[in-house]
Amino acid sequence: ACVCVCICAHFLFTVVVVYVWLCSVVVLFLSYFVFGALYNKFMRGKEGLDVIPNISFWSSCCGAVLTGCGLFCRNNNKTKPSTQYKHLSTALEDDLDSEDLDDDAHEHLVSKD
C-alpha cells in the first residue's frame, strides 16, 4: 500500500510540475506577443500585421513548418522509391566526369594575400 501511495504521489508531483511549466511557457509566449504588439503599436507607430514582434521570423517559421508538413504528408507512397531527384544525380555524375579534379583546378577561387 505504501509503494502505491509513493508511486501515485510521484506521478502527481510530475504532472503538476509539467503543468506549471507548460502554463509558464504559454504565459511568457503570450506576454511576449501582447507587450511586443503594444510597444510596436504605440511606441513605433506600426499598424496591421507589422505590430507583431519579429513578424518576418514568425512568418518564416510558419512557412518552414508548413513546408515540412506538406513534404511529410505528401509522401504516402512508401513502397516505390522517389524519382523526383533522379535527373539531378545524373547531371551531377556528368559534371563530375567532365571536371578536372587536380589540385590546381580551383586556384583562381583562393584569395592570394
Side-chain angles (χ1 to χ4, degrees):
C2 181
V3 172
C4 183
V5 170
C6 289
I7 291 173
C8 289
H10 180 68
F11 176 74
L12 287 175
F13 176 75
T14 305
V15 168
V16 168
V17 168
V18 169
Y19 179 75
V20 168
W21 184 81
L22 284 176
C23 286
S24 300
V25 168
V26 168
V27 166
L28 288 172
F29 195 70
L30 289 175
S31 298
Y32 167 77
F33 276 104
V34 168
F35 289 118
L38 290 173
Y39 178 79
N40 283 338
K41 171 92 174 147
F42 295 111
M43 300 301 284
R44 292 186 168 177
K46 294 184 178 182
E47 294 181 357
L49 287 178
D50 290 333
V51 299
I52 298 173
N54 296 316
I55 185 70
S56 60
F57 170 76
W58 294 113
S59 61
S60 68
C61 282
C62 292
V65 168
L66 289 174
T67 301
C69 289
L71 290 173
F72 180 76
C73 295
R74 231 181 318 165
N75 192 9
N76 55 6
N77 188 4
K78 304 247 185 231
T79 58
K80 189 171 77 170
S82 174
T83 59
Q84 182 177 4
Y85 297 107
K86 187 167 179 67
H87 67 281
L88 293 176
S89 65
T90 56
L92 181 62
E93 288 172 1
D94 292 343
D95 285 346
L96 287 176
D97 289 341
S98 65
E99 186 177 289
D100 185 19
L101 295 178
D102 63 356
D103 291 336
D104 299 331
H106 301 289
E107 274 187 17
H108 64 283
L109 297 176
V110 180
S111 66
K112 296 179 183 180
D113 295 323

